[in-house]
Amino acid sequence: MDRAAELLRTPGSALSSQPAASLSSRLAVSALATEGEVMSNDAFHSWFEERQRKHALRVTRITFDELQGWNFDPATGNLRHDSGRFFSVEGLRVRSDYGPVREWCQPIIHQPEIGILGIAVREINGVLHCLMQAKPEPGNVNAVQLSPTVQATKSNYTRVHGGSAVPYLDCFIDPDPPRVVADVLQSEQGSWFFRKRNRNMVVEVGPEVEAGEDFCWLTLGQLGALLRHPDLINMDARTVLSCFPDWRVDSGSEAGVGLHSDTEIRSWVTGRRAWHEITTEPLPLRETEGWHRSEKAISHESGRFFSIVAVDVSSHRREVPAWSQPLLEPHGPAVSALLVKRIRGVQHALFSARVEPGFLDVVELGPTVQCTPESYAHLPSEERPRYLDAVLDRRPERTLFDAVLSEEGGRFHHAQSRYLIIEVDEDFPTATPEDFRWVTLCQINELLKYSHQLNVQARTLVVGLRTLP
């Protein structure tokens, strides 16, 4: 807070001339405010522990026959909600030229409606704060995690379930354009969702917006510190945080000439989308080869990948007090790692052009390494993900970020990924295979202004990058 206070006090500084101050300067002050203006870090942890106690969920594994409001379609075997809304579990046949396995079948979550993930921001004592929510989800390992101001599917906020209204929704449904900081459609896990997208929004609000019982105001600096706590900031909050403009780039502190020009990076992404081939064919779930349904799970015959399971949930603090639903349960934790290196004095990160069956546009940029190691245990070493050895052999002093974080708790059961940012040695090659490129922070910031450029795992790592000194 000392540096933030100095910026606020300095005559002629960006914030001394509000409301004309630049957005990057305001974000910089918030990022430096590691103690907050509303809630201290100690007060936050006390508040959050209390939320966890009050929002305790009872989640019980049940058989598919015990699901309420969900049924397997007699013709296809697809698992659907009786309302026809929310989501369904269907089959998919995939053929691709990417990766060691070129054809397979799998279940996939189909959720065509676009939800809203929104963070409201407001200046308090001259410092931008984010309105965050303590939200319970049935698939979370710890029930409650820190989520955006609004995290709701269209079925939720149109109240198909008959539950209570979503707080603060009106801040995002039709916002005043000058108050919109970010507004972009982004994908989610392309291996588990079929073309799922959410509207990621950041909207500035006025002093009339106050924090309710389950909400709190936190600075970007506080959120950056909390990101290193395991399973605390949920996936939906992380993806919205990645859509904030990067204040370091806009201020010039991380700008500079990259190994590749902006035009070259855009052309590379376009070229990868044109080069790679992937076809997806919807299948009845009952005809998905290699997958078998028991009373309690739909699983692969090898025991790898993931299962579809059913749970019964009760909560006295959610929009609906009790319900049951399917969840996707991954087999083993995932690893998402980003290699970074200074090239010509400018920080670069090594991204991959990933092909996943649920992507809308064939390729999105992913981390250097993104895999569930257990899923590759049966393959020969030459078919292991490229650069995996650099991740496994990392040195502690070169590991800049290391946190175990949860994926979407509303659709996945205990899905966790270990997120790593690793600085490689100066002699680490700058030449890369065709599906990899070194990208600067400035170029990442530009790509995030548009839809479907970085996948959800890469977006989490971008938020981690912005916490580094």
Side-chain angles (χ1 to χ4, degrees), residues 237-259:
R238 300 193 306 264
T239 180
V240 181
L241 288 169
S242 76
C243 296
F244 277 78
D246 188 345
W247 62 270
R248 298 168 307 163
V249 167
D250 291 339
S251 66
S253 62
E254 282 295 346
V257 178
L259 181 63

Side-chain angles (χ1 to χ4, degrees), residues 138-156:
N140 287 343
V141 294
N142 52 355
V144 178
Q145 296 187 16
L146 206 59
S147 79
T149 316
V150 167
Q151 174 186 320
T153 66
K154 193 169 186 179
S155 292
N156 288 146

Side-chain angles (χ1 to χ4, degrees), residues 363-393:
V363 163
E364 293 189 12
L365 299 193
T368 317
V369 173
Q370 176 188 319
C371 68
T372 300
E374 288 186 15
S375 296
Y376 290 84
H378 65 295
L379 297 176
S381 58
E382 63 270 17
E383 294 185 1
R384 286 152 54 93
R386 194 180 290 269
Y387 298 110
L388 180 59
D389 288 341
V391 172
L392 297 179
D393 297 338

